[in-house]
Amino acid sequence: MTVKLSSSNLARLPAKVAGPKYDRSTLKAGIVHFGVGNFHRSHQAVYLDDLFGTGEGHDWALIGAGVFEGEKVGRAKLEEQDWLTTVVEQDQGHMSARVTGAMIDFLTPGDTAAIIDQLADPAIKIVSLTITEGGYFIDPASGKFNPAHPDIVADAQAGAAPKTVFGIILAGLLRRRADGIVPFTVMSCDNIPHNGHVTSDGVIGLARLIDEDLAKWVEDKVAFPNGMVDRITPATTDRERKILADDFGLEDNWPVFCEPFKQWVLEDHFTAGRPALEKVGVQFVKDVSPYELMKIRILNGGHATIAYPAGLMDIHFVHEAMQEPLVRAFLAKLEHDEIIPTVPPVPDTDLEDYYQLIERRFSNPKIGDTIRRLCLDGSNRQPKFIIPTIADRLKAGKGVAGLALESALWCRYCFGTTDSGAVIEPNDPSWDRVQATAKAAKGDPKAWLAMEDIYGDVGRSPVFAEAFAHALKVLWANGARETLTRYLAGKL
């Protein structure tokens, strides 16, 4: 017998499922969040749920928002259960479930007028974002905001109803300026280097297309704190729903399964106040850059390192990749030889201890994180997680054999077949382009590095080009297993 998740059933949750430790009727909205996906619900929403459970911060509840038609599906699933989410933490020998209640509403995605009205409400003091790496209109080669993107150009037209997150945020800020209300803080919770700066570049860049005085006002009055966020959170499938029903007796339309570990390091820079999240484990610092660089290079770069060889070997789950000695050894060698040496010291952190933690997290057999998820969106992720490391190695005159192999593995994956000949379904927003380029690169490796918007100066480096071409040639001749074997033996 299972219980269906809803507000009316909170009093009769199964014994093994913890419920909110507060009265949800006391909550008032203080945050509008764009991008209500699994990561947000396993991370920011959990920290807020923890805070509300202490009896504090009940005027910082979440209201969801979105701009895409596809987000209506998730909204409908959550509406049916009164915006509640079950979060299941899993690792070897441990599994626990809790229902979180930090979200109290979810505006209809695409209902621009309603969202702007909510943003104009003085009660809203923070607008937060998890819109993925691809949602920031960044030119990958320069790492800068691209004001020429058609969606941004459209939002800048006089009288236009905004369609982008940045356009809607700016419209909300305009209303607040007109009404004499303190601007809200814009807080990115995405895995992007300097995510606060990137977000401010987007909002201010769009404002500049409309009115220079508006851009100056945003620059002077609106806070965009940088933050580092971390929690491995795979997509939800029927597998997770079934585990929750079978093991815990709870039915949830959209549960979240994640690892026990979570981290949030945030700059203490807010225009209109903030919840006391330091009481539930958030680290507030003056400069998040060292933590951010460590995480992006060692963890996100590590994910990219294991993703593509595992994908070519037809490995399905991340923990299975870590059980493959060649993949595990490739990760360790590339991290220690080429990635970790580019990471400066981090306050109160031993980088080797951090790497060992990452290795354990990747090896967690309970998470069910997939290799395909790690391989997703390389055209946006590689320029953030791998290529800057290559650039630093080249600038220092250091070797790049392992990083060149990682790039070659990505290229080979984008060809669209595994080493066994199995078809790889499209797995990148630019799949048609990267697949065509990967096919051209089989005979002419320079074609891959000529993707200027992805590789930039790195693609023009003769040292890197030679190492990449050699790695790709060996991969095509021998497959991923033999190529990794040669690399690990120092014979690539």
Side-chain angles (χ1 to χ4, degrees):
M1 189 73 177
T2 58
V3 174
K4 183 75 178 77
L5 182 59
S6 69
S7 287
S8 60
N9 282 337
L10 281 178
R12 50 189 293 263
L13 288 174
K16 291 197 293 183
V17 180
K21 298 175 181 175
Y22 50 91
D23 179 358
R24 290 182 79 220
S25 68
T26 67
L27 298 182
K28 296 178 182 176
I31 302 172
V32 171
H33 182 81
F34 286 89
V36 181
N38 278 21
F39 179 75
H40 162 71
R41 293 181 302 131
S42 79
H43 192 266
Q44 182 185 356
V46 168
Y47 279 105
L48 287 166
D49 190 73
D50 285 343
L51 181 64
F52 300 164
T54 70
E56 288 200 34
H58 287 197
D59 53 350
W60 289 102
L62 290 156
I63 291 180
V67 297
F68 298 115
E69 189 71 21
E71 293 177 276
K72 290 181 179 178
V73 176
R75 181 188 182 278
K77 289 177 179 178
L78 293 174
E79 182 177 30
E80 194 178 306
Q81 55 201 46
D82 304 312
W83 320 118
L84 295 165
T85 289
T86 312
V87 178
V88 180
E89 296 181 1
Q90 286 187 304
D91 63 10
Q92 203 152 13
H94 165 81
M95 185 161 67
S96 63
R98 62 187 279 191
V99 172
T100 62
M103 177 178 285
I104 59 172
D105 198 4
F106 190 160
L107 303 171
T108 302
D111 188 347
T112 303
I115 297 172
I116 293 170
D117 283 347
Q118 189 69 67
L119 297 183
D121 183 342
I124 300 303
K125 297 180 172 62
I126 294 174
V127 173
S128 54
L129 311 169
T130 46
I131 55 175
T132 76
E133 297 90 348
Y136 287 81
F137 303 98
I138 302 166
D139 172 28
S142 68
K144 301 293 185 184
F145 173 68
N146 176 16
H149 191 285
D151 292 352
I152 293 296
V153 172
D155 271 8
Q157 301 308 305
K163 296 285 197 300
T164 69
V165 169
F166 294 160
I168 293 170
I169 286 173
L170 196 57
L173 288 169
L174 270 167
R175 285 268 298 274
R176 292 174 82 107
R177 183 174 74 160
D179 294 344
I181 300 167
V182 175
F184 46 71
T185 295
V186 184
M187 180 177 73
S188 171
C189 301
D190 276 300
N191 271 320
I192 295 178
H194 316 299
N195 56 13
H197 295 320
V198 170
T199 309
S200 69
D201 285 349
V203 178
I204 293 168
L206 174 57
R208 191 163 284 123
L209 296 177
I210 298 168
D211 177 67
E212 189 63 45
D213 287 342
L214 173 61
K216 184 75 167 64
W217 178 82
V218 173
E219 193 171 12
D220 290 345
K221 301 295 185 182
V222 182
F224 297 86
N226 291 301
M228 183 266 262
V229 296
D230 192 6
R231 189 171 218 183
I232 295 173
T233 311
T236 302
T237 67
D238 288 341
R239 169 186 179 270
E240 284 73 35
R241 279 182 278 268
K242 186 174 187 306
I243 291 171
L244 182 61
D246 291 350
D247 292 8
F248 291 94
L250 186 63
E251 290 180 50
D252 184 328
N253 295 326
W254 196 16
V256 175
F257 280 55
C258 56
E259 63 176 337
F261 177 89
K262 67 182 188 297
Q263 187 176 17
W264 194 0
V265 185
L266 192 56
E267 290 173 356
D268 202 352
H269 178 44
F270 292 79
T271 44
R274 62 166 177 81
L277 291 166
E278 69 276 11
K279 296 185 177 180
V280 288
V282 176
Q283 296 167 260
F284 284 96
V285 297
K286 286 186 177 178
D287 181 14
V288 80
S289 299
Y291 302 89
E292 179 182 74
L293 188 66
M294 172 185 72
K295 191 257 178 175
I296 282 171
R297 295 207 172 176
I298 300 176
L299 185 141
N300 296 111
H303 265 158
T305 299
I306 66 175
Y308 299 110
L312 292 172
M313 293 178 190
D314 300 293
I315 296 172
H316 184 72
F317 287 115
V318 175
H319 69 273
E320 292 172 339
M322 294 299 287
Q323 290 166 1
E324 164 55 59
L326 288 172
V327 174
R328 192 181 189 100
F330 178 46
L331 174 68
K333 181 171 172 58
L334 181 53
E335 289 272 16
H336 288 107
D337 289 1
E338 297 180 28
I339 295 177
I340 294 173
T342 71
V343 178
V346 180
D348 304 316
T349 305
D350 180 279
L351 293 181
E352 178 57 28
D353 288 348
Y354 184 76
Y355 170 74
Q356 295 296 333
L357 171 65
I358 296 306
E359 200 175 65
R360 291 194 299 275
R361 292 169 63 196
F362 288 2
S363 302
N364 185 343
K366 292 290 188 178
I367 284 296
D369 201 5
T370 64
I371 289 298
R372 181 171 172 81
R373 186 187 80 87
L374 300 195
C375 292
L376 172 69
D377 203 11
S379 62
N380 274 305
R381 291 178 173 182
Q382 291 277 317
K384 298 173 181 67
F385 303 152
I386 292 290
I387 292 168
T389 307
I390 300 170
D392 282 357
R393 295 285 295 176
L394 291 170
K395 187 176 179 181
K398 304 292 186 181
V400 289
L403 289 162
L405 175 54
E406 189 279 338
S407 263
L409 287 158
W410 175 44
C411 174
R412 170 66 187 85
Y413 177 89
C414 291
F415 188 88
T417 58
T418 69
D419 281 348
S420 73
V423 172
I424 297 170
E425 296 298 328
N427 201 22
D428 192 291
S430 303
W431 185 257
D432 289 346
R433 175 202 181 195
V434 295
Q435 186 175 40
T437 308
K439 289 181 175 180
K442 185 177 180 182
D444 178 18
K446 292 192 296 294
W448 187 255
L449 301 183
M451 291 191 291
E452 180 75 21
D453 57 324
I454 292 174
Y455 280 96
D457 289 342
V458 164
R460 291 186 288 272
S461 161
V463 172
F464 185 71
E466 181 181 351
F468 172 82
H470 176 67
L472 188 62
K473 180 180 177 182
V474 175
L475 264 176
W476 272 116
N478 302 280
R481 286 185 179 277
E482 176 60 24
T483 304
L484 290 186
T485 300
R486 292 188 187 188
Y487 169 72
L488 292 169
K491 295 178 180 178
L492 181 61

